[in-house]
Amino acid sequence: MMPVLSAQALSVIRSGQEVLKDVSFSIAQGEVHALLGGNGAGKSTTLLTFLGFLQPVSGSVHVQGRDVNENPSAARQAIAYLPEAATLYGHLSAYENLRYFLSLAGTDTGRDELDAALDRVALQPEARNIRMQTYSKGMRQKVAIALAILRDTPILLLDEPTSGLDPVAIDEFNRLARDLAEAGRTILLVTHDVYGACHVADRIDLLQNGVLVGAFDRPPGMDRIDTEAVHAAFAQYAAGGP
Ligand SMILES: Nc1ncnc2c1ncn2[C@@H]1O[C@H](COP(=O)(O)OP(=O)(O)O)[C@@H](O)[C@H]1O
Ligand SMILES: [Mg+2]
């Protein structure tokens, strides 16, 4: 089957520096794929390239079999993107933010659907009509995740989706992502959180200084990838080895 997302020998230069070097991976429909790496590894750059906001100097990225460079708007229509610092309006409530951003995306969404998405991210009902400037970081992140889900696109690109979430909310997010994948959505998320990546992903690619240095698959029949093995590899590469 044709992969939904693929990078082929992808290299990207930013400010004169090669920040992605010969990166290749592919993601099938219904998979959760995690790109794991430290600060500056090139995780966010990878997502921006899939959205067509950055161009490869060599290699390519494909979305649903189409070269993003040739048709970035087709790629963007198939993707809901959660940016690293999601910008929602503090003077608007969760409902108002969701309605506003969904209308910009050309989606008309009823109150019941908004509530269903906010239930899925476990944002307490009494907060939903309150201005978001009173929210905690975790509550804001929940609304941003709800917005990505409500776009109802086949593909989700999520940049550090669990940042600001407490451990209980992280577990809930992991279950939600797995449910979405089982329902047929394809998810590429980037994170520096080894534990979270191991619990949510079918496959983890380890990115270090723009280079893929390791890959870990969830063994058949297991509910997670081995955290110790991934942590050891992460720590080894972060220390400059092998
Ligand atoms: N706006 C930018 N302009 C130029 N270089 C950037 C920009 N943003 C990030 N970079 C550089 O690209 C590299 C990868 O960054 P990034 O993809 O944001 O890493 P990560 O998301 O893994 O922390 C880093 O060396 C960073 O300094
Ligand atoms: Mg980043």
Side-chain angles (χ1 to χ4, degrees), residues 110-128:
R111 173 72 168 246
D112 289 351
E113 274 177 275
L114 299 185
D115 275 322
L118 292 169
D119 287 345
R120 292 187 87 171
V121 297
L123 184 78
Q124 52 270 55
E126 56 277 16
R128 297 175 189 179

Side-chain angles (χ1 to χ4, degrees), residues 21 62 81-82 99 113 127 135 149 173 205 241:
K21 297 164 206 150
H62 286 71
Y81 168 54
L82 172 68
R99 272 199 216 98
E113 274 177 275
Y135 282 23
I149 297 169
F173 167 81
D205 270 320

Side-chain angles (χ1 to χ4, degrees), residues 98-99 101-111 113-114 150:
L98 292 177
R99 272 199 216 98
F101 284 103
L102 290 166
S103 72
L104 288 185
T107 323
D108 192 15
T109 312
R111 173 72 168 246
E113 274 177 275
L114 299 185
L150 282 160

